[in-house]
Amino acid sequence: MPHRVYIGIGSNLGDRRANTVEAVDRVTKLPATKLVRASSLYESEPLGDAKTWFVNSVIEIETEFPPDTLLRKLKTIEETMGRKRVKGKRWGSRIIDLDILLCDQQVVDTRTLKVPHPEMHKRRFVLLPLAELAPHVIHPHLGQTVSALLASVKDEKRVTLLPRT
């Protein structure tokens, strides 16, 4: 039985739009994985140490991979695309970032993976594209729909829809 997974995508280095498109392409080429839908692209104000604005989106996939295996595959895609992780530095600039936001209604809490993503309900740049795809999906911990979380998010960072090219 395939898992329905929502993946958050972000890029703020290089050609941000092209990086996002390439990441989606690489995810959909994973075996036993199919793209269901992709959100629009959004530009968002940087968080933490990052200086340049991000391009963010969310994709919905069906995959046979369990969450821990999918995470390893996503990390491989990030590394292949040139992502460098800096120990002790979170929220820095990155060529690509792929985060598992939700996987079915599963709750995963391991050292390397937390699903639902522990920060997603606090971030407008995640909730806007996620609400575009899954407004009625319920957050397994919080018991609220994605659209309700978006309506009550306190994040003041600017997020705007990018025009299609």
Side-chain angles (χ1 to χ4, degrees):
M1 184 94 170
H3 300 286
R4 183 157 304 248
V5 181
Y6 294 92
I7 298 172
I9 303 171
S11 173
N12 78 328
L13 291 176
D15 186 336
R16 303 164 306 155
R17 190 185 295 254
N19 294 340
T20 302
V21 169
E22 179 181 342
V24 171
D25 186 54
R26 287 175 182 265
V27 170
T28 58
K29 286 182 176 157
L30 291 173
T33 301
K34 140 181 145 179
L35 178 68
V36 177
R37 292 180 298 166
S39 76
S40 302
L41 299 180
Y42 293 82
E43 190 170 45
S44 62
E45 201 172 345
L47 181 70
D49 296 328
K51 300 292 182 247
T52 45
W53 284 54
F54 279 83
V55 168
N56 295 101
S57 66
V58 170
I59 58 172
E60 177 184 356
I61 63 168
E62 285 180 358
T63 185
E64 297 292 333
F65 294 119
D68 57 332
T69 305
L70 179 61
L71 177 66
R72 284 194 301 276
K73 304 257 183 220
L74 296 179
K75 297 289 179 217
T76 299
I77 290 171
E78 289 178 342
E79 289 165 16
T80 303
M81 289 183 64
R83 169 129 187 220
K84 307 276 189 266
R85 294 188 182 275
V86 180
K87 201 161 179 72
K89 215 171 192 188
R90 292 179 66 194
W91 304 310
S93 293
R94 67 246 351 228
I95 194 160
I96 197 68
D97 186 33
L98 301 170
D99 290 327
I100 299 173
L101 303 175
L102 296 165
C103 179
D104 305 318
Q105 282 294 298
Q106 290 186 51
V107 173
V108 179
D109 189 358
T110 67
R111 190 179 60 74
T112 56
L113 178 62
K114 310 254 186 273
V115 177
H117 190 286
E119 299 290 320
M120 68 177 254
H121 64 286
K122 300 175 186 173
R123 297 178 173 168
R124 184 175 308 280
F125 68 85
V126 172
L127 292 172
L128 258 172
L130 182 58
E132 190 181 311
L133 300 181
H136 303 298
V137 169
I138 295 173
H139 189 291
H141 279 310
L142 303 175
Q144 293 183 16
T145 64
V146 170
S147 55
L149 292 170
L150 176 59
S152 64
V153 71
K154 295 189 179 4
D155 180 5
E156 296 295 325
K157 297 232 179 246
R158 288 174 291 167
V159 181
T160 57
L161 186 63
L162 271 179
R164 296 191 187 270
T165 56

